């Protein structure tokens, strides 16, 4: 009986060691580093709606017919701290040269706010928020072209 319980304990130890050794390998394949997340535009300021909005925006080709990729908004507000704009030359270029291409787009300066898009529903109320501090100007243009409903002025 002592031999049976000894082998059972050994089995548990071996199983535990296998799990402990394989767990980091499994996790490393499924998780991005914080640097990789930041490069994709996700920071500690990210909101839960960012994942949904990002997933809608960045689709695989096989998912392109999915109804969520067709989600559009009536307008957008770029919320940003005026003092921090110096650190975001891509956004400055967009504000100075491209924002007027979108009649339902507004810039709102809020002290200490990280750059984010507040996407508006049909009633003009905030629906989703997307942190855009690492976005390039062309990404912002493409996102707005695809996600903001055209008005009669744009058609």
């Amino acid at each position: 009986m002592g031999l049976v319980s000894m082998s059972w304990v050994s089995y548990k130890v071996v199983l535990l060691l296998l799990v402990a050794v394989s767990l980091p390998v499994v996790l490393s394949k499924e998780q991005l580093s914080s640097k990789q997340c930041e490069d994709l535009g996700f920071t500690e300021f990210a909101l839960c709606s960012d994942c949904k909005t990002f997933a809608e925006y960045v689709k695989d080709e096989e998912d392109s017919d999915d109804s969520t990729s067709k989600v559009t908004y009536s307008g957008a507000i770029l919320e940003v701290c005026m003092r921090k704009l110096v650190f975001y030359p891509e956004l400055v270029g967009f504000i100075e040269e491209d924002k007027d291409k979108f009649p339902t787009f507004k810039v709102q300066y809020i002290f200490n706010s990280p750059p984010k898009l507040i996407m508006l529903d049909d009633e003009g109320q905030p629906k989703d928020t997307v942190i855009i501090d690492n976005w390039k100007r062309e990404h912002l243009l493409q996102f707005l072209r695809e996600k903001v409903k055209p008005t009669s002025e744009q058609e």
Side-chain angles (χ1 to χ4, degrees), residues 58-73:
V58 182
K59 290 279 187 186
D60 291 334
E61 288 181 18
E62 61 200 44
D63 293 337
S64 63
D65 291 334
D66 191 281
S67 63
T68 59
S69 66
K70 297 180 176 115
V71 171
T72 58
Y73 303 92

Side-chain angles (χ1 to χ4, degrees), residues 2-21:
L3 184 59
V4 172
S5 63
M6 181 67 133
S7 65
W8 180 247
V9 171
S10 298
Y11 174 75
K12 285 183 179 179
V13 169
V14 169
L15 184 60
L16 183 60
L17 286 173
L18 282 174
V19 169
V21 169

Side-chain angles (χ1 to χ4, degrees), residues 1 30 50 54 67 132 145:
M1 185 147 182
E30 295 180 8
D50 294 350
F54 191 71
S67 63
I132 60 167
R145 282 187 199 117

